[in-house]
Amino acid sequence: DVRLPSIFGDNMVLQQGIKCPIWGWADEGENVSIEMRGPQIAAGIGTQTDSNGRWRAKLPALKAGNNPVSIIIKGKNRIELKNVLIGEVWVCSGQSNMGFPVAAANDPDLETLSANYPNIRLLSIPRTGTQKPQDDFVGQWEVCTPQSVAQFSAVGYFFGRQLHQSLNVPIGLIDNAWGGSACEAWIRRDLLEKLPAAKPYMATWTETEKKFDEDKMKADYEQKVATWKERSEKARAAGKPIPKKPRPPRNPLTGQHRPANLYNGVLKPIIGYGIKGAIWYQGENNSTRAKAYRDVFPLMIQNWRDDWKQGDFSFYWSQLADFRDEVDSPGDSTWAELREAQTRTLKLPNSGQAVITDLGEAHDIHPKDKQNVAKRLARWALAKDYGIKIVCQSPQYKAMERNDKKVVLHFEHVGGGLDTFDVRAPLGFTIAGRDKVFHPANARLMGKEKIEIWSDAVDNPVAVRYAWADNPVCNVQNREGLPLTPFRTDDFTMITEGQ
């Protein structure tokens, strides 16, 4: 029988304006016909399976519309895909802050209660970590309802809802996130093996793969459970609390850290599906390898674009939020270094970054304000992909000039001009002399695009940093409310060098 992968099904959204690929399987040499039916649509195409029983075709490019169409695929049997819409399709990927569901975000009761959007469609990809490339998954497209949205990606849903309300076109969202995932797990292994910055990580995993013994892992766990049972019986007899049962071990070879595991397991089955772009929220797991992330993250984006064969599609990400305790004195920070690596990735075409150093929570790595994260990502899409005149980029450091004991910083992408939040004085700057010791700095705004920095503790300043901490105390933004991008003017050695 002719059959389709789960990426194609009832309720799906096809990307408007492109010839969307469609593929599947049948008997070797079988003729397959595809027909689209709908208002003012009548298109038919034909193809034939190859020697492996695979077939592939491209659907005609169509404009977005709110009227459903159907797709009929015929071989020796007949499949009809119903309630299909033409609109905008986005992949929502990363780790737990992307997977974080609507039901756990701010105002979950109100958000789910109002989630009646029949022209927003949702698809979640189940977690499969493997070195073997997968061609399918178990899942299905669903219409957005209060029930279907509850466990869907909050950032993904709020992003899609903003686009839907702004553009009035159908939106398809593919939730493809895995909590705690390493960036390296989303990249083809052959590419990682050629990347010098990834060598330490790859070497560690090569050693793990050689030494890991699954049978021993299971035997050790069974022994722990047996010991727990004995202690539980004794505790029960003595009227004491029952000890906690040992947690089942995780097989690292099938997890979300092994290089290429997620590329093969959860990304490969959807690669080639017609999309507009991707949004990404990841980096926490790579913070100890921040220097390497400068090369690893752009490689991942390029890997996806090359294999998707849809050009340099739009790719927008959330920078790391503020996290952990605030500190009184300047110091090193792996999270600051990771943020810098993310900012450097803006060198790629059709890329964008949502700065969210004002939206985190010190003692929760999963901040609940996913609505504003999504809005900042949506600004990029609305401005760059849909031509809406709206400020989308956070202000960014451009240049520095010395002025005796003071430094004047120049910025770009300032929107309506630089501004401060809560208090008038700019906060979050540190300054250093030739000794490379940073001190808290005074600062004042100079017009729309400049800030003057100084400190009585530094006579000959050579470097300035802003928001350089895990949880920085900082307040500079543009008049549209987008925070100043964390930065440093120096190139001093990073603490994650060589990791």
Side-chain angles (χ1 to χ4, degrees), residues 172-184:
L173 302 169
I174 302 173
D175 182 354
N176 197 12
W178 191 330
S181 59
C183 187
E184 295 87 347

Side-chain angles (χ1 to χ4, degrees), residues 305 311-317 346-352 384-385:
R305 287 173 169 175
D312 292 333
F313 59 76
S314 298
F315 197 104
Y316 308 132
W317 61 87
L346 288 169
K347 64 187 178 184
L348 294 182
N350 301 328
S351 64
K384 299 300 183 182
D385 297 282

Side-chain angles (χ1 to χ4, degrees), residues 286-473:
N286 279 75
S287 61
T288 56
R289 305 187 298 284
K291 178 71 181 296
Y293 202 75
R294 292 181 179 185
D295 298 314
V296 171
F297 185 36
L299 176 66
M300 187 205 82
I301 297 172
Q302 196 59 54
N303 178 190
W304 288 25
R305 287 173 169 175
D306 290 345
D307 290 0
W308 226 284
K309 292 181 171 50
Q310 203 185 302
D312 292 333
F313 59 76
S314 298
F315 197 104
Y316 308 132
W317 61 87
S318 294
Q319 197 182 52
L320 289 186
D322 43 322
F323 179 54
R324 301 192 179 104
D325 292 332
E326 296 174 353
V327 293
D328 296 328
S329 56
D332 293 319
S333 164
T334 59
W335 277 46
E337 292 187 4
L338 195 285
R339 292 189 192 108
E340 180 183 60
Q342 291 173 312
T343 299
R344 283 172 170 260
T345 306
L346 288 169
K347 64 187 178 184
L348 294 182
N350 301 328
S351 64
Q353 173 177 262
V355 178
I356 57 171
T357 44
D358 58 334
L359 300 180
E361 299 177 30
H363 299 122
D364 192 344
I365 200 169
H366 302 117
K368 292 180 174 58
D369 184 0
K370 296 296 191 268
Q371 288 89 339
N372 280 307
V373 176
K375 285 180 180 179
R376 291 179 190 175
L377 289 168
R379 282 179 172 270
W380 279 97
L382 292 170
K384 299 300 183 182
D385 297 282
Y386 304 113
I388 295 176
K389 292 183 178 180
I390 184 173
V391 174
C392 65
Q393 185 164 0
S394 275
Q396 200 166 328
Y397 167 72
K398 182 179 181 181
M400 178 181 84
E401 60 177 302
R402 286 274 304 274
N403 184 9
D404 195 19
K405 293 183 179 181
K406 296 182 179 181
V407 168
V408 176
L409 301 174
H410 298 254
F411 298 89
E412 57 186 346
H413 310 300
V414 298
L418 295 176
D419 196 7
T420 57
F421 174 75
D422 199 30
V423 296
R424 190 174 297 275
L427 304 175
F429 291 93
T430 60
I431 192 168
R434 291 187 178 88
D435 59 2
K436 300 182 181 181
V437 176
F438 283 86
H439 302 270
N442 301 305
R444 73 179 183 92
L445 297 177
M446 299 176 65
K448 286 186 173 183
E449 301 175 353
K450 298 179 184 179
I451 300 179
E452 187 177 50
I453 311 293
W454 75 96
S455 170
D456 293 338
V458 180
D459 289 332
N460 297 298
V462 299
V464 174
R465 292 179 174 181
Y466 174 75
W468 199 263
D470 294 349
N471 187 357
V473 178

Side-chain angles (χ1 to χ4, degrees), residues 87-134:
E88 297 294 309
V89 181
W90 288 83
V91 174
C92 313
S93 191
Q95 56 181 99
S96 54
N97 271 308
M98 181 60 80
F100 195 82
V102 172
N106 279 347
D107 300 320
D109 48 356
L110 297 178
E111 293 293 6
T112 54
L113 188 66
S114 61
N116 291 295
Y117 291 100
N119 285 358
I120 295 179
R121 307 296 173 79
L122 314 172
L123 175 65
S124 297
I125 311 299
R127 298 170 181 173
T128 301
T130 178
Q131 295 291 288
K132 182 180 179 182
Q134 302 296 295

